[in-house]
Amino acid sequence: MIALLVVACEVAFWVLLAAGLALRYVARKPRLGAAVLLCEPLLEVVLLVVTAIDLKNGAEPDWKHGLAAVYIGFTVGLGHHTIKKVDAWVAHRWFGGPPPVKPPKYGTARAIHEWRTAARWILAAAVALALLQAAVWYVGPDGAISTLQSWQQKMLLVIGINVIIAGGYTVFPKRAPHDAVADRERADRF
């Protein structure tokens, strides 16, 4: 049931996003569209409550409970950025808005962009780690917590990979080709 709920939350995320953007641009009701988009965190609250109830009722912790924690973490860390990117793309593609800001390609601006991207992924993994640890404590040492701990190791790997990528752009910055036009690229906002 938990795995189906995770899938349902993901589908509902995109449905709410489409509905919010349709209200904003097609129906020209930006406040109502924003209100619909603000309903999205309720999906994570429902998933968290159902997962906690499932564990409280004696369910053996398994990969589905870990997946629920990871999904919530990644929605917290990446959801807002995803909504902003899709909103900018929809506004540009169909409603005459300005083109979305492309990430910088070279130098310090690219390193800053990579660190901001890493920060979003690290936040996502940290939230997932915290939820997984809460589940470990909730189940207690007598329960089968190895699956939850396995998910924690995967989240540490996500953090490590993102630090390595961002660090690589910092230590070895990509340089602009000599014949490239020297226009200043701004780093995207967090």
Side-chain angles (χ1 to χ4, degrees):
M1 179 171 120
I2 299 296
L4 290 175
L5 188 57
V6 170
V7 171
C9 284
E10 179 66 12
V11 170
F13 172 84
W14 291 103
V15 168
L16 283 174
L17 181 56
L21 293 176
L23 285 168
R24 180 176 182 166
Y25 294 112
V26 177
R28 302 220 187 274
K29 302 210 180 264
R31 287 186 181 168
L32 186 56
V36 168
L37 292 175
L38 287 173
C39 292
E40 199 285 323
L42 295 176
L43 298 171
E44 281 65 49
V45 171
V46 168
L47 181 59
L48 181 63
V49 168
V50 169
T51 303
I53 290 171
D54 192 43
L55 289 172
K56 184 178 189 311
N57 289 338
E60 193 73 22
D62 61 7
W63 67 271
K64 295 176 285 230
H65 298 96
L67 178 64
V70 169
Y71 176 79
I72 293 169
F74 280 70
T75 302
V76 168
L78 302 168
H80 178 71
H81 183 72
T82 301
I83 290 170
K84 280 179 55 177
K85 289 289 187 182
V86 172
D87 183 29
W89 182 79
V90 167
H92 172 67
R93 180 81 168 106
W94 287 298
F95 298 100
V101 176
K102 293 184 178 180
K105 295 180 183 175
Y106 309 109
T108 304
R110 180 60 185 226
I112 291 169
H113 167 78
E114 291 300 330
W115 278 109
R116 286 186 174 139
T117 301
R120 286 189 286 273
W121 282 92
I122 291 168
L123 173 63
V127 169
L129 277 167
L131 290 173
L132 289 162
Q133 188 58 46
V136 166
W137 290 332
Y138 188 67
V139 171
D142 298 333
I145 56 174
S146 62
T147 305
L148 299 174
Q149 291 171 331
S150 172
W151 277 104
Q152 287 178 315
Q153 292 170 353
K154 291 174 180 132
M155 293 303 97
L156 291 173
L157 184 64
V158 167
I159 291 171
I161 288 170
N162 279 280
V163 167
I164 289 169
I165 290 170
Y169 277 95
T170 303
V171 175
F172 305 107
K174 190 173 178 183
R175 306 224 183 269
H178 294 293
D179 59 345
V181 177
D183 46 71
R184 300 194 60 132
E185 297 179 14
R186 67 182 190 102
D188 63 341
R189 303 312 293 151
F190 185 34

